Amino acid sequence: KTRLAYIQFIFSTFFSNGDIIDETEHFQNYFYKLLIPSTEKDQETLVDFNKNFFTKLSLSYFEFIQKNNVDDLIDPFINFDRKYKNWSFINKSIILAIFSEIEISKKSKIKILINDYFNISKSLITKKEIGMINAITDKYINEKKIIWAIIRKIYNKFTT
């Protein structure tokens, strides 16, 4: 539930110019425990998520977009003509959620988080789009593995 809220939060940031802390608080204050109409007739769904984890994720998103030119980061992973800047906001939100959470996650948890995002994505985007995001995520993770290996070598060199 928290990761779905996180995707929604990132989506909302495309339409605001506010401070990320203010945006995080506003999102939490408005959506946390909100009853929204359900797809089931005469039903409502409670929006519920872990506020602490959500805050950690939103701060990681802010740090990620501050440190990275997202177009320059993602475009090299794309093997087709539709560059990142031309993606739908929902696809951008999903990939940014995945990448920014990877940055703060232990390597052992990455498969779990990716699985969660792809399960959430099934109700938001097409299978083709999920495949595209999966391929780009794989390339990103493989690049991170190379960087982690280099850092580990350097670390071992200076600690032994």
Side-chain angles (χ1 to χ4, degrees), residues 78 82-89 91-92 95 136:
I78 299 174
R82 196 162 137 228
K83 297 298 182 192
Y84 172 80
K85 71 178 179 178
N86 298 323
W87 286 15
S88 69
F89 289 123
N91 286 340
K92 287 180 179 182
I95 199 85
I136 292 167

Side-chain angles (χ1 to χ4, degrees), residues 30-80:
Y30 183 78
F31 287 104
Y32 186 70
K33 300 289 185 187
L34 179 70
L35 283 172
I36 58 172
S38 173
T39 55
E40 304 294 322
K41 187 178 181 183
D42 298 325
Q43 299 276 331
E44 290 184 318
T45 301
L46 181 68
V47 178
D48 191 17
F49 53 88
N50 180 318
K51 283 181 146 184
N52 291 331
F53 185 47
F54 178 84
T55 300
K56 181 179 177 180
L57 291 173
S58 60
L59 292 174
S60 77
Y61 167 68
F62 176 67
E63 186 175 320
F64 184 81
I65 61 172
Q66 292 298 315
K67 284 184 176 179
N68 297 285
N69 179 321
V70 179
D71 290 356
D72 291 344
L73 177 71
I74 294 175
D75 281 346
F77 298 124
I78 299 174
N79 294 331
F80 51 90

Side-chain angles (χ1 to χ4, degrees), residues 118-133:
F118 289 138
N119 285 331
I120 293 165
S121 298
K122 289 176 186 176
S123 63
L124 302 173
I125 59 177
T126 67
K127 285 183 181 181
K128 183 178 178 181
E129 292 169 315
I130 292 171
M132 172 193 69
I133 290 172

